[in-house]
Amino acid sequence: MQLSGTAGNSYASLIPTVMYQTILTTLHDRLFTITINRPDKLNALNKTVISELSEAINEVIDNKLIGAAIITGAGPKSFVAGADISEFTALDGQGGEALARRGQETVFSKIENCSKPVIAAVNGFALGGGCELAMACHFRIASEQARFGQPEVNLGLVPGYGGTQRLTQLVGKGRAMEMMMTGGLIDAATALRYGLVNQVTTAEALIPATTAIAAAILGKAPLAIAEVIRLTNMAALGDPGGLEAEMKAFGALFDSADAKEGATAFLEKRKPSFKGE
Ligand code: COA
């Protein structure tokens, strides 16, 4: 395994992990940061980025040292300015569907269903596949520079990485329809008002603020966090089994060591120490 150098939005004392070509990954205090690193192309998602993102998400899922992840973009201008349009000219119908399917299955849905929290730190343009990548994450923090949009209609296309579904879930049908039909961009303040992002920070505060939220979550019981993700995703998809699943999960967690530790620590007036068991 090769190690990459620190770069992009990295900080002293971050531990670099596997070397990728188009993304940077670091691990620090159980928090894994994935930085999409093609700033000269505004971090557009080409095939290599999709494939490396898929590997990085697998790392989040499989590596026991990782408790949560942040996804962000390199450089001051862009989170991700969409799928790489230069790869579109060679596509026919079958190729287009395959591109969307591969991305959905290997990256976007995998992030959404990841049992560890994945937070988007949106530092600039989040357009098309970039907006969709942010929306696949469990929630989003944005800098004042962030701009969101689904401009696919400008190319004669529709969103292909989940935009029609997740944007509608997050901002409601009318706002989603307007954004996708006009292809227009919204600024960070509008995204906050729409509920597309949870918080807007200055550019400098984006990673520290997102890290602070991740650190707070890392102090909670991992099995409970995993169930929050699973059950909330059921609700977002309108799954009629959601309430039943919640009751079962509530019960099942009483059998976990962490639930015993949580109640005992509360009664002993001390901080719980959770083990994910
Ligand atoms: N795919 C491929 N390349 C992209 C890209 C994308 N989605 N978005 C930006 N780039 C490239 C540009 O081609 C340019 O490359 P070049 O310097 O080799 O010419 C570079 O990134 C910088 O972009 P540029 O357009 O010069 O920056 P800008 O500040 O003038 O405009 C945007 C920024 C985001 C408004 C503009 O780049 C844009 O509209 N991008 C496409 C967004 C889009 O439609 N995304 C959805 C795709 S489905």
Side-chain angles (χ1 to χ4, degrees):
M1 183 187 289
Q2 274 183 298
L3 294 180
S4 68
T6 51
N9 298 333
S10 60
Y11 293 86
S13 87
L14 292 180
I15 304 165
T17 64
V18 180
M19 171 82 102
Y20 293 103
Q21 262 178 273
T22 59
I23 63 174
L24 301 162
T25 56
T26 55
L27 177 61
H28 179 64
D29 281 349
R30 298 179 59 226
L31 178 60
F32 192 64
T33 300
I34 302 170
T35 305
I36 297 151
N37 189 32
R38 296 182 76 208
D40 54 326
K41 296 291 178 189
L42 304 187
N43 303 322
L45 302 174
N46 63 12
K47 282 184 186 147
T48 310
V49 180
I50 290 292
S51 143
E52 294 191 338
L53 269 177
S54 176
E55 283 182 51
I57 298 306
N58 285 342
E59 208 179 333
V60 175
I61 294 166
D62 296 336
N63 187 339
K64 288 194 165 39
L65 297 176
I66 296 175
I70 291 176
I71 300 182
T72 193
K77 196 168 165 182
S78 185
F79 174 71
V80 167
D84 192 319
I85 300 168
S86 69
E87 291 182 346
F88 281 10
T89 48
L91 291 178
D92 59 7
Q94 219 181 358
E97 183 177 336
L99 182 84
R101 192 174 301 283
R102 195 178 319 118
Q104 298 263 20
E105 289 175 359
T106 66
V107 176
F108 294 75
S109 294
K110 224 193 274 180
I111 292 172
E112 182 168 57
N113 295 315
C114 178
S115 62
K116 300 171 188 175
V118 184
I119 310 170
V122 182
N123 54 306
F125 290 117
L127 307 182
C131 188
E132 290 167 301
L133 181 64
M135 293 192 296
C137 294
H138 298 134
F139 58 88
R140 292 139 291 283
I141 309 299
S143 80
E144 292 158 346
Q145 280 68 34
R147 297 286 178 277
F148 296 83
Q150 295 288 163
E152 288 85 353
V153 286
N154 295 332
L155 304 170
L157 298 170
V158 295
Y161 288 145
T164 59
Q165 307 303 298
R166 296 193 182 101
L167 188 62
T168 307
Q169 287 162 11
L170 286 164
V171 307
K173 184 175 167 184
R175 286 164 169 168
M177 286 267 196
E178 184 181 344
M179 284 178 69
M180 289 186 284
M181 286 189 201
T182 63
L185 308 193
I186 59 168
D187 61 15
T190 306
L192 183 64
R193 187 161 52 83
Y194 280 13
L196 186 54
V197 304
N198 291 10
Q199 187 184 332
V200 177
T201 71
T202 61
E204 301 71 41
L206 178 65
I207 297 299
T210 312
T211 301
I213 297 169
I217 299 170
L218 283 168
K220 314 299 176 197
L223 296 177
I225 296 295
E227 287 295 22
V228 165
I229 293 169
R230 185 177 72 87
L231 296 164
T232 308
N233 280 340
M234 288 179 82
L237 291 172
D239 190 321
L243 278 178
E244 179 62 29
E246 182 189 281
M247 290 184 281
K248 285 207 159 68
F250 182 76
L253 285 169
F254 274 96
D255 288 332
S256 71
D258 281 352
K260 293 189 174 34
E261 163 66 6
T264 306
F266 177 82
L267 295 172
E268 292 175 356
K269 300 190 188 302
R270 62 172 173 82
K271 213 168 156 251
S273 171
F274 294 122
K275 294 192 167 55
E277 294 165 3

